[in-house]
Amino acid sequence: MREGQREQAGGALWNRSRNAANDGPIHEAGGIPPLVKLARWGTEGQKGWAARALENLALNDVNKVAIGEAELAMSGTEGQDNAAGALLASQ
């Protein structure tokens, strides 16, 4: 997938994430880990779309945990400590 396509995908997921009815389907389709990856390592545009989508998805507690888990899977030790703290704080 090219950079422009990744940015468009992030924008499309942000658009879908604005409707709470899409929270479950985005999570179930495996959309959260790619968004976390884009938010961390994407271009500025990709990071922006991904961060806005994750912000919307994090309003759902199940998604909040999935976001933390995706962050843990992609992080080193420091990132794991930060993500673990965020998960504990959210419960």
Side-chain angles (χ1 to χ4, degrees):
M1 186 179 276
R2 289 188 251 163
E3 297 304 318
Q5 291 172 316
R6 286 185 183 99
E7 189 166 338
Q8 289 176 346
L13 284 170
W14 165 77
N15 189 39
R16 297 282 185 192
S17 74
R18 295 184 311 151
N19 182 341
N22 292 323
D23 287 355
I26 291 171
H27 177 207
E28 292 163 12
I32 290 177
L35 283 170
V36 170
K37 186 175 180 180
L38 279 179
R40 290 187 65 148
W41 295 300
T43 65
E44 290 305 310
Q46 293 166 356
K47 287 178 180 180
W49 286 120
R52 288 190 284 278
L54 290 167
E55 180 180 30
N56 290 338
L57 292 169
L59 297 174
N60 174 301
D61 288 337
V62 172
N63 288 339
K64 192 180 301 184
V65 171
I67 292 165
E69 290 172 346
E71 181 66 32
L72 278 171
M74 293 179 205
S75 298
T77 304
E78 182 180 337
Q80 291 173 356
D81 292 342
N82 292 339
L87 279 172
L88 291 174
S90 72
Q91 295 182 6

